[in-house]
Amino acid sequence: MLSPHSLVRQTILVVLGAELLCVLAFSVTALEHERHTRRHAFDAMLKGRSDSVLATIQDAEDPADPLRMDDSEVHPQAGDAYAVYNLDGGLVSSSPNAPSALIQRKADGFSDEIVHGHPYRILQRSAARVLDRSDTNSPVVRRVTILYAANTEHIGHEIREAAAFYFAVSLVGFLLTTLILVVLLRRILHPIQELADKAAAVSVSAPQFEAPASALRLLELRPLAQTLTTAITGLRLALAYERNFVGDAAHELKTAVAVVRSSIQLLMLRSRSREEYARGLEVLLKDNRRVEDLVEQMLLLARMEERGREVELTDLAIPAATVVSTLTNYAEMRGVHLLLDAAGDAFTGMSPEKAEVLLSNLLTNAIQHSPHGSQVEVRCRVEDKTVLLQVEDHGAGISAAALPHVYERFYREDVSRSRETGGTGLGLAVCKSIVDGAGGSISIASTVAVGTTVTLKLRLRQPSSA
């Protein structure tokens, strides 16, 4: 079983994780920029201080040692060290007590050294000092190498202070944005939570669902909310329909069984002649047959209501002719004449079995409600890409008050007459189920004492040529 996960929690964690990465990236970038800026400024300072050392170099006017320095004019910062070398590599001057590691010649450029546990930044550069000779009244260029070293501990301290500042600012910003994001995300995702809560409250015992307005306002959630509403509404109607059907079926079966029991009890009240027992058994057989017909109709209705998509094509003219031929003898026994007017190529999406059940129910109904000497007409034709099937009788008709209820299960306008004809009240419900499953429509027009016309409209389908 999969463990549940909160979409809200996951979204918040993802957003906060992304924000934290951005904060870390910003802090690292800012610190690197700070380090680079301070190092660049420090290097510029070293060059300036080395220039101040260069400015103190003077001409000694001694061919053996042409350079000299006035150390009193050199003012290095505390902890700094310097050294000046002539073109031949001889040491001209250096700061007193300077560690040899700081004033030892290296390659030109910047370098870093750890001396006595302290970090130093060292600049070695070649420079030219232009001097005026008093004896020649012409400038003289003296080339030297200058080393200048300065302690960098304060830079590390400043960078650590900057890092602490950036970290504090980032942390405060992260906490503030976290609170804002949590509130905003919960508000943005609230419609999903509300929709989920509504859906979770649906149960078989309480199939009620009303999509929250917040979900219907969102383009992304509206289709889901509408689909849930449609599906659960359909479920509620189906459950109500099932409850009604079970209740009606139980009532009908109980009534039929009670009739059989009463007939048996009537036979047992006293001794009867053989002829009376025979008549009583005939009544029992008739009542038993009615129970059997009722069960068969209920099973037929359940089978017809299976909403499998119809893939078979049937020419309704063929099952119409078959059913008329089958019921001709039954109609003649009741003194009813059957007329068939069916054109071919009336193909529609319905299996032959369902087509015969449909036509048999309609035609049987018409025969049972037609008076002796009347006729029942069956017409099947194609009109404007529609298969039109009509069954018309000239019987007692249906009252206007009963017409809206004729498709209801077990509905019978005249119960006593239905008992005489053997009707179960399921025939038209079966017919409507079959027609709905084929994507068609069924309508009934009736006038009391004139007759009834049942009209079916089904989409014309073209059979494949294969």
Side-chain angles (χ1 to χ4, degrees):
M1 181 178 178
L2 295 177
S3 58
H5 296 280
S6 170
L7 179 61
V8 175
R9 188 180 299 109
Q10 285 183 337
T11 304
I12 291 175
L13 290 177
V14 169
V15 172
L16 292 183
E19 184 186 5
L20 183 59
L21 288 177
C22 291
V23 168
L24 291 176
F26 166 76
S27 300
V28 171
T29 303
L31 286 174
E32 183 62 26
H33 175 72
E34 184 75 16
R35 188 191 68 80
H36 176 77
T37 301
R38 291 182 181 275
R39 180 61 64 90
H40 182 73
F42 191 80
D43 290 346
M45 181 271 295
L46 285 180
K47 187 175 184 303
R49 291 181 181 179
S50 68
D51 285 339
S52 66
V53 172
L54 178 65
T56 63
I57 298 176
Q58 299 177 3
D59 189 5
E61 298 182 0
D62 182 358
D65 187 11
L67 294 177
R68 67 183 180 85
M69 286 185 61
D70 185 356
D71 293 331
S72 63
E73 295 183 5
V74 181
H75 305 288
Q77 297 292 321
D80 291 1
Y82 69 89
V84 178
Y85 292 89
N86 58 26
L87 188 61
D88 297 328
L91 180 63
V92 177
S93 179
S94 66
S95 56
N97 302 320
S100 60
L102 294 180
I103 60 175
Q104 187 176 357
R105 291 187 63 179
K106 305 173 183 64
D108 285 357
F110 292 96
S111 60
D112 295 294
E113 292 285 346
I114 301 294
V115 178
H116 303 311
H118 299 287
Y120 284 86
R121 181 80 167 165
I122 302 172
L123 169 62
Q124 177 175 310
R125 53 180 289 219
S126 298
R129 171 67 169 158
V130 180
L131 301 172
D132 292 328
R133 293 292 298 269
S134 58
D135 56 345
T136 61
N137 293 324
S138 61
V140 177
V141 178
R142 301 298 188 189
R143 296 191 176 278
V144 295
T145 297
I146 300 175
L147 278 83
Y148 198 98
N151 191 295
T152 59
E153 284 181 328
H154 68 285
I155 295 180
H157 179 69
E158 292 171 357
I159 291 177
R160 285 190 293 273
E161 287 184 342
F165 172 76
Y166 286 132
F167 178 76
V169 171
S170 299
L171 181 61
V172 172
F174 175 74
L175 294 177
L176 288 176
T177 54
T178 296
L179 293 175
I180 295 172
L181 281 173
V182 168
V183 173
L184 289 179
L185 283 173
R186 287 189 179 277
R187 181 171 297 180
I188 292 172
L189 296 175
H190 177 69
I192 299 178
Q193 184 63 51
E194 193 174 1
L195 181 61
D197 292 340
K198 289 279 188 179
V202 177
S203 64
V204 176
S205 58
Q208 302 292 331
F209 178 82
E210 182 179 356
S214 58
L216 293 174
R217 284 195 296 265
L218 294 177
L219 292 176
E220 295 81 2
L221 289 182
R222 186 184 301 162
L224 176 60
Q226 291 174 340
T227 300
L228 284 173
T229 301
T230 302
I232 295 173
T233 300
L235 173 64
R236 185 175 67 253
L237 294 176
L239 290 173
Y241 197 62
E242 181 182 358
R243 284 193 296 268
N244 292 337
F245 175 72
V246 171
D248 292 341
H251 174 74
E252 291 294 324
L253 288 172
K254 181 179 179 181
T255 301
V257 171
V259 170
V260 174
R261 185 175 63 249
S262 63
S263 298
I264 295 174
Q265 290 173 342
L266 185 62
L267 284 176
M268 296 174 62
L269 283 177
R270 60 181 176 83
S271 299
R272 299 180 182 274
S273 64
R274 175 176 295 183
E275 290 77 12
E276 289 176 327
Y277 277 121
R279 286 195 299 270
L281 289 175
E282 288 179 1
V283 173
L284 281 174
L285 184 61
K286 183 179 179 180
D287 290 338
N288 186 73
R289 188 178 297 114
R290 182 174 177 272
V291 175
E292 184 180 0
D293 291 343
L294 176 61
V295 173
E296 286 181 356
Q297 286 291 312
M298 290 168 59
L299 293 175
L300 177 63
L301 178 60
R303 191 168 70 251
M304 294 299 108
E305 285 187 338
E306 292 179 358
R307 288 286 188 256
R309 184 176 179 84
E310 296 286 359
V311 294
E312 293 186 73
L313 296 184
T314 300
D315 182 358
L316 284 187
I318 297 175
T322 301
V323 172
V324 168
S325 176
T326 302
L327 295 178
T328 295
N329 291 337
Y330 174 65
E332 289 178 352
M333 289 174 56
R334 301 184 66 94
V336 177
H337 183 56
L338 301 182
L339 293 178
L340 174 64
D341 178 14
D345 295 330
F347 286 94
T348 190
M350 184 183 300
S351 67
E353 178 196 6
K354 290 185 178 181
E356 290 187 9
V357 170
L358 171 67
L359 287 158
S360 179
N361 278 352
L362 293 177
L363 199 52
T364 301
N365 253 0
I367 295 171
Q368 290 175 346
H369 294 86
S370 295
H372 191 278
S374 64
Q375 65 182 21
V376 174
E377 301 157 19
V378 180
R379 294 183 290 271
C380 181
R381 60 185 182 274
V382 176
E383 291 184 1
D384 191 25
K385 298 183 179 180
T386 300
V387 176
L388 192 67
L389 178 68
Q390 289 182 315
V391 177
E392 182 179 1
D393 66 58
H394 304 280
I398 305 171
S399 66
L403 272 177
H405 306 285
V406 293
Y407 302 116
E408 296 177 6
R409 298 170 175 181
F410 305 109
Y411 178 79
R412 292 185 289 270
E413 183 179 12
D414 186 345
V415 177
S416 62
R417 179 172 175 82
S418 296
R419 180 169 173 79
E420 292 175 3
T421 60
T424 62
L426 291 174
L428 287 176
V430 172
C431 293
K432 181 168 175 55
S433 178
I434 294 173
V435 173
D436 289 346
S441 65
I442 181 172
S443 61
I444 299 177
S446 185
T447 303
V448 176
V450 175
T452 301
T453 302
V454 181
T455 302
L456 277 65
K457 293 182 179 179
L458 298 159
R459 186 164 68 92
L460 179 66
R461 305 281 292 271
Q462 296 297 330
S464 60
S465 57

